[in-house]
């Protein structure tokens, strides 16, 4: 096979890629990428991974729109039978190379309407959507990093729930019973609070801190 490049065609070597090889590669990548979950042990790394995951949502939406626009322009160039864009698949590869700047196809013998279509595509994608994507990522990162501690705990809780879903039901039930979520949380002597949580005692030194604000909720002993 040959691929149209700037200055002519370059012969490509025949590579026999089977579906089994592709599936093995995807499986290997998916397995190794799971080690990212280990980063949730550290609060800062957990917040960073959560932020990256949220930012990928913007990347996905932007790339989806770019793909639709690329298909539209590729179909247009293939219908026009322009040089280096004779078929739809070749047009897709050529436009993709144009975006990333990797051996763009030769446009020496492209007609004026074809050149206008290519220039319009570059303006829309390179100048428009890619800059919009950069601005979206910058704004998203700025807003997400303001609450890194909360996001790190959310990411850790999400990972914990995912791991817990892989455990047998008997083991999950045993852990739930050991945590005693059905027992009410005692606010004070004789003051039984709601259930469904884990009680953490507050150190007495907190009340001596000058920034301490007394509890303004009036509590009455008895069952909740």
């Amino acid at each position: 096979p040959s691929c149209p490049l700037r200055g002519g065609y370059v012969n490509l070597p025949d590579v026999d890629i089977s579906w089994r090889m592709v599936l093995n590669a995807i499986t290997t990548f998916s397995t190794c990428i799971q080690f990212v979950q280990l980063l949730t042990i550290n609060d800062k790394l957990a917040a960073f991974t959560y932020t990256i995951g949220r930012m990928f949502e913007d990347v996905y939406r932007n790339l989806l729109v770019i793909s639709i626009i690329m298909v539209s322009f590729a179909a247009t160039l293939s219908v026009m039978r322009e040089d280096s864009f004779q078929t739809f698949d070749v047009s897709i590869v050529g436009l993709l190379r144009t975006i990333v700047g990797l051996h763009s196809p030769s446009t020496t013998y492209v007609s004026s309407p074809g050149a206008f279509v290519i220039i319009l595509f570059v303006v829309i994608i390179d100048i428009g959507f890619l800059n919009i994507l950069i601005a979206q990522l910058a704004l998203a990162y700025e807003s997400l990093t303001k609450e890194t501690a909360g996001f790190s705990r959310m990411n850790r809780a999400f990972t914990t729930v995912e791991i817990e879903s892989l455990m047998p039901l008997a083991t999950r039930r045993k852990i739930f019973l050991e945590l005693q979520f059905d027992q009410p949380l005692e606010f004070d002597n004789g003051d039984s609070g709601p259930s469904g949580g884990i009680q953490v005692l507050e150190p007495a030194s907190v009340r001596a801190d000058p920034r301490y604000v007394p509890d303004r909720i009036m509590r009455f002993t008895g069952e909740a």
Side-chain angles (χ1 to χ4, degrees):
S2 60
C3 180
L5 300 178
R6 190 182 303 276
Y9 286 79
V10 174
N11 293 325
L12 299 178
D14 293 330
V15 180
D16 184 15
I17 301 178
S18 62
W19 285 107
R20 181 177 298 178
M21 184 185 302
V22 175
L23 291 177
N24 288 337
I26 295 175
T27 303
T28 303
F29 176 80
S30 302
T31 303
C32 295
I33 202 66
Q34 296 301 320
F35 286 102
V36 176
Q37 304 296 339
L38 296 176
L39 300 179
T40 57
I41 299 175
N42 184 273
D43 287 342
K44 293 183 178 180
L45 292 177
F48 178 75
T49 54
Y50 180 82
T51 303
I52 295 299
R54 290 289 301 273
M55 291 171 62
F56 264 105
E57 295 179 2
D58 293 333
V59 174
Y60 167 75
R61 288 191 290 265
N62 200 289
L63 291 181
L64 180 61
V65 178
I66 290 177
S67 300
I68 296 175
I69 295 176
M70 184 184 301
V71 169
S72 302
F73 276 90
T76 302
L77 291 173
S78 61
V79 170
M80 297 174 66
R81 296 293 181 180
E82 294 292 345
D83 185 61
S84 302
F85 298 95
Q86 290 87 358
T87 59
F88 179 76
D89 55 343
V90 173
S91 300
I92 287 288
V93 175
L95 293 179
L96 183 60
R97 289 176 178 272
T98 302
I99 293 178
V100 299
L102 180 63
H103 297 295
S104 301
S106 176
T107 57
T108 305
Y109 302 102
V110 175
S111 62
S112 298
F116 174 77
V117 172
I118 296 175
I119 293 174
L120 182 62
F121 172 78
V122 173
V123 170
I124 293 176
I125 301 301
D126 284 352
I127 301 178
F129 278 90
L130 294 183
N131 287 327
I132 291 175
L133 176 60
I134 294 173
Q136 286 179 337
L137 295 180
L139 293 175
Y141 186 80
E142 181 180 0
S143 61
L144 291 173
T145 50
K146 292 180 180 179
E147 299 291 341
T148 55
F151 287 135
S152 65
R153 294 186 178 93
M154 288 176 58
N155 190 21
R156 184 178 300 175
F158 178 76
T159 305
T160 303
V161 172
E162 281 190 331
I163 296 175
E164 184 182 356
S165 64
L166 303 176
M167 301 171 60
L169 182 59
T171 304
R172 294 161 60 184
R173 185 175 299 170
K174 179 181 178 182
I175 295 175
F176 179 82
L177 295 177
E178 290 178 352
L179 293 175
Q180 299 180 350
F181 284 126
D182 57 332
Q183 299 296 325
L185 303 178
E186 187 179 25
F187 287 122
D188 205 345
N189 293 330
D191 186 5
S192 298
S195 60
I198 299 177
Q199 188 175 32
V200 178
L201 299 180
E202 182 183 69
S205 59
V206 174
R207 298 177 180 269
D209 193 284
R211 295 172 297 178
Y212 173 74
V213 178
D215 193 355
R216 291 175 292 181
I217 300 177
M218 302 298 296
R219 304 187 186 279
F220 299 90
T221 59
E223 296 183 357

